[in-house]
Amino acid sequence: MTDSEWLVMRAPGFETKNDAQKFVRRLKVATMVAAVETGNGIDPGEGKPTGWISPAFFTEMFGDDLESVENIHGTQVYWDDGRQKFVSVKADATVHANAEMLAAALTATFDHQLSPTARALAALEILSLSRMAREPLAEATLCVAAVELLALREDWTSEQRELLRALKKHAEEVAPDQPEVADAVGKAYKSVRGGIKELILSTLGLGDSTWKEFDAVYGMRSNIFHGLEPISRHSISDFARNARPVCERIVIAGARLKGEF
């Protein structure tokens, strides 16, 4: 396993397709549990092809006696009579950043003599680490976590929250014709989302467009993490592609802000 990023398990000999499908479902769950228990990370895949081979190219390479089988990332059930063949193509590319661009940006930023707060500095560190994440989901999650940290305020204790609820109920009873009074009490305890909105609009002054952009990203994260939609490569890719630019804009604005906030 130290020399490969792929783990391939093959189990032949099932009498029916239904038996094979039951087995692979059980195998997928067991593999994920075993990986977690032994401290390994694993991507179980979605049961979809990782690539495509032209039938004409396959025939030219291997003749008419063999049958091409899609290289599925995940679990797969297929008829095996000895004629099936998997074709895997791998390509590696290395991209090196331009050191001159980094040096120029470093010089310009150094001249600004930034002095971010401890919380802004911690958020900046998380954002920097996100660039080193290998998986898009991990990268996007760290980006959002950096913004959440930047917007963090001292939380209310459970006793304080209970008093606020009691006060809101009392306001509803004594002023039933003034619901805005009770609403104001209820809004004294801000959610994480509310804190981020205040950070973007009031503290950093980044404008409503930035808030809407981040709120859409926050919705994507909720859909993935709360099971509101099936996890797929497409949803993760959208989340990662949209999260980085807006999160970078917010965290860098926080790092450049003068004074405490």
Side-chain angles (χ1 to χ4, degrees):
M1 286 177 64
T2 58
D3 298 324
S4 177
E5 293 184 354
W6 296 93
L7 175 62
V8 180
M9 294 179 282
R10 181 173 176 271
F14 293 93
E15 293 186 1
T16 67
K17 183 177 181 179
N18 187 51
D19 289 341
Q21 288 173 332
K22 287 181 179 179
F23 178 83
V24 295
R25 283 195 293 267
R26 180 178 172 186
L27 179 62
K28 180 177 181 178
V29 173
T31 302
M32 289 189 289
V33 172
V36 172
E37 289 180 338
T38 56
N40 290 288
I42 192 166
D43 180 355
E46 301 174 39
K48 296 180 179 179
T50 56
W52 178 80
I53 297 292
S54 164
F57 175 77
F58 181 87
T59 301
E60 182 179 344
M61 292 293 295
F62 303 105
D64 295 325
D65 295 334
L66 296 178
E67 176 187 350
S68 175
V69 182
E70 287 185 321
N71 202 334
I72 298 294
H73 180 202
T75 57
Q76 179 183 20
V77 174
Y78 65 97
W79 178 259
D80 184 7
D81 60 6
R83 298 176 54 252
Q84 285 66 36
K85 186 174 183 64
F86 293 88
V87 179
S88 178
V89 179
K90 181 180 179 181
D92 294 319
T94 301
V95 179
H96 296 281
N98 188 334
E100 293 180 359
M101 292 177 60
L102 175 62
L106 176 59
T107 301
T109 305
F110 186 80
D111 289 342
H112 280 95
Q113 300 183 17
L114 302 180
S115 55
T117 64
R119 189 170 66 252
L121 185 59
L124 194 60
E125 289 177 357
I126 292 176
L127 190 69
S128 299
L129 288 172
S130 72
R131 281 287 188 184
M132 301 172 66
R134 298 183 62 183
E135 292 296 328
L137 181 58
E139 177 186 355
T141 302
L142 286 172
C143 287
V144 172
V147 175
E148 288 179 324
L149 176 59
L150 190 64
L152 187 64
R153 297 291 185 270
E154 290 187 7
D155 197 7
W156 298 85
T157 66
S158 58
E159 291 81 5
Q160 288 172 326
R161 288 196 294 271
E162 186 59 39
L163 285 172
L164 281 172
R165 282 191 288 268
L167 182 58
K168 181 181 179 182
K169 184 177 180 181
H170 179 68
E172 291 171 340
E173 293 173 350
V174 298
D177 57 336
Q178 295 178 291
E180 66 276 6
V181 176
D183 287 343
V185 174
K187 291 176 181 176
Y189 172 67
K190 292 186 175 68
S191 65
V192 174
R193 181 178 175 277
I196 295 173
K197 184 176 183 180
E198 180 181 348
L199 170 76
I200 293 172
L201 297 179
S202 301
T203 307
L204 302 179
L206 292 176
D208 194 55
S209 61
T210 296
W211 161 243
K212 289 180 179 179
E213 189 178 344
F214 180 83
D215 196 38
V217 167
Y218 219 47
M220 292 179 186
R221 193 196 70 160
S222 296
N223 288 342
I224 293 172
F225 285 0
H226 298 160
L228 301 179
E229 67 176 50
I231 296 178
S232 67
R233 289 287 173 190
H234 178 73
S235 62
I236 290 174
S237 177
D238 280 351
F239 177 38
R241 184 175 61 254
N242 289 280
R244 174 160 294 286
V246 67
C247 290
E248 284 184 342
R249 194 183 317 145
I250 295 167
V251 173
I252 291 175
R256 292 181 180 277
L257 197 65
K258 302 290 185 180
E260 293 290 331
F261 65 92

